[in-house]
Amino acid sequence: MSEFDLRGIGMTSQRTRDRLVARLREQGIEHPGVLDAMASTPRHIFIDEALSHRAYEDTALPIGHGQTISQPLVVALMTATLLNEVRGRVLELGTGSGYQTAILSALCQRVFSIERVEPLMQRARLRFDAMGLPNVVARVGDGYRGWPEQAPFSGILVTAAPRSLPDTLLEQLEVGGRMIVPVGDGGMQELKVIDRTEDGYVETVVEYVRFVPMLKGVRTS
Ligand code: SAH
């Protein structure tokens, strides 16, 4: 069976997803759209076959190239926090496996996603094609530059941690827009929400998280 096979959308995987969603609810995730998207998106196709039996555990898992698919609770928290304010055009930095992209695609008008590691993007694209996500555009690039041709965005969601807030990204957020980004060095980072208002930017720390670092440049292998 190919890893992109969608047969797993059957009953067994639906039950395990329902259990995952019940756990997310217990942990305080209330956003109905986010819970629905996570109940219907098959996380196992975003994970290598050898680990796919662990797909519905609430844990981050390796996806190769030293990267990880984010923990479902963190995906749920970030998506719900972003969508409390915006639903329009969203920029995601750090496509990775593409799981967070698929969740955003169910809830936003359009998703623009950038990944710096080319082989990860190639695999993510196969998954997007298998699922048929018409509102996702994804490319290889350095997220520090954002996507100026498509800016401004109503939401920006960053899934790798920069040491400090990149000005370029702040500029690509529209007035009324919201960015969610883990900021800091190594160990734990602050998960920050930045709201752009008429008068400037308002920053709040929502949680402490552990993401891989946001790195400069692109990798072809
Ligand atoms: N949302 C992804 C998380 C993957 S981990 C998932 O759940 O699968 C973070 C990803 O950010 C990695 O794939 C890493 O290669 C990517 N990344 C790191 N720095 C980046 C940058 N400057 N631009 C784009 N992607 C970057």
Side-chain angles (χ1 to χ4, degrees):
M1 184 169 89
S2 126
E3 66 196 293
F4 305 120
D5 196 318
L6 296 182
R7 261 185 292 171
I9 293 184
M11 288 310 291
T12 317
S13 109
Q14 187 59 59
R15 272 200 299 274
T16 48
R17 274 203 297 285
D18 289 345
R19 276 201 291 275
L20 172 65
V21 166
R23 272 203 303 279
L24 295 175
R25 219 181 251 121
E26 278 165 26
Q27 291 179 89
I29 304 296
E30 291 173 353
H31 194 292
V34 171
L35 293 170
D36 279 356
M38 293 190 70
S40 58
T41 304
R43 188 169 182 255
H44 62 272
I45 73 160
F46 294 88
I47 292 168
D48 292 343
E49 228 165 336
L51 285 172
S52 62
H53 62 287
R54 301 186 57 195
Y56 300 103
E57 292 176 18
D58 187 20
T59 177
L61 292 167
I63 54 171
H65 304 271
Q67 308 303 323
T68 52
I69 179 170
S70 305
Q71 181 191 350
L73 179 61
V74 174
V75 172
L77 176 69
M78 288 178 81
T79 314
T81 306
L82 189 79
L83 295 183
N84 277 339
E85 292 300 321
V86 301
R87 277 175 177 273
R89 293 154 47 83
V90 171
L91 174 66
E92 180 199 30
L93 302 178
T95 318
S97 67
Y99 177 67
Q100 169 79 72
T101 323
I103 300 292
L104 285 171
S105 132
L107 297 161
C108 304
Q109 200 180 56
R110 276 192 92 181
V111 184
F112 299 87
S113 188
I114 300 177
E115 168 58 52
R116 70 181 285 275
V117 180
E118 193 174 333
L120 287 178
M121 177 53 78
Q122 283 163 356
R123 296 166 65 76
R125 276 211 187 100
L126 292 173
R127 295 170 178 132
F128 299 153
D129 290 347
M131 290 181 72
L133 305 179
N135 59 345
V136 171
V137 195
R139 70 167 173 85
V140 174
D142 180 350
Y144 277 107
R145 303 187 54 236
W147 199 322
E149 301 81 4
Q150 295 292 348
F153 300 97
S154 55
I156 300 181
L157 187 151
V158 188
T159 70
R163 288 186 172 185
S164 59
L165 276 177
D167 285 344
T168 325
L169 300 182
L170 291 171
E171 285 158 17
Q172 292 183 22
L173 197 59
E174 70 187 20
V175 173
R178 171 171 276 201
M179 169 153 70
I180 181 150
V181 52
V183 180
D185 248 339
M188 299 299 270
Q189 302 115 15
E190 293 181 328
L191 185 60
K192 291 188 173 180
V193 166
I194 291 100
D195 288 308
R196 184 168 190 177
T197 69
E198 301 274 359
D199 307 321
Y201 298 89
V202 180
E203 198 178 299
T204 324
V205 175
V206 275
E207 190 52 276
Y208 291 86
V209 288
R210 193 187 298 268
F211 276 88
V212 296
M214 186 161 170
L215 302 173
K216 296 222 160 85
V218 298
R219 263 183 56 183
T220 52
S221 62

